[in-house]
Amino acid sequence: QVQLVESGGGLVQAGGSLRLACAASGSITATNTMGWYRQAPGRQRELVATITSRGNTNYADSVKGRFSISRDNAKNTVYLQMNSLKPEDTAVYYCNVQTKTIVTVRDYWGQGTQVTVSS
């Protein structure tokens, strides 16, 4: 059984920083993509950032230059360093792990952690 546990969310003033962490437990294949998604009230879930097992990263345009994603493969943990936070970053942030085979895609999700940025 795979479980993802997020931590690091909280309340911060605009311009501040937060660091999110997500620890994965269970049998995760070596080849995988870990990432962060977020969902604000009344809005669709959106991709924030992803990182492959080889270290290739992808960021949403809205966070590029402010957020940085990283991972520790030995600990099966992915991090999201969030700097220069804006009120529009307020959302529930969800950790995601995706594994792929030639024909199969599997997704695992954490419970989410609230990030609130005050103005």
Side-chain angles (χ1 to χ4, degrees), residues 42 68 72 76 82 101:
S68 179
D72 185 332
N76 289 325
M82 305 184 292
T101 66

Side-chain angles (χ1 to χ4, degrees), residues 6-92:
E6 301 106 329
S7 62
L11 174 64
V12 65
Q13 293 185 350
S17 299
L18 284 173
R19 182 178 174 87
L20 305 183
C22 172
S25 62
S27 298
I28 304 295
T29 59
T31 300
N32 63 74
T33 297
M34 305 184 80
W36 292 92
Y37 294 73
R38 67 187 182 187
Q39 187 168 24
R43 295 180 61 87
Q44 299 292 319
R45 181 190 67 183
E46 65 176 355
L47 182 148
V48 177
T50 62
I51 183 168
T52 71
S53 57
R54 301 302 173 91
N56 297 317
T57 59
N58 182 53
Y59 296 92
D61 289 339
S62 60
V63 306
K64 201 167 187 177
R66 299 188 298 119
F67 292 9
S68 179
I69 190 170
S70 62
R71 62 187 289 166
D72 185 332
N73 290 332
K75 296 181 178 180
N76 289 325
T77 300
V78 62
Y79 305 90
L80 185 68
Q81 179 66 47
M82 305 184 292
N83 299 322
S84 301
L85 283 162
K86 304 175 180 179
E88 50 262 46
D89 294 318
T90 295
V92 176

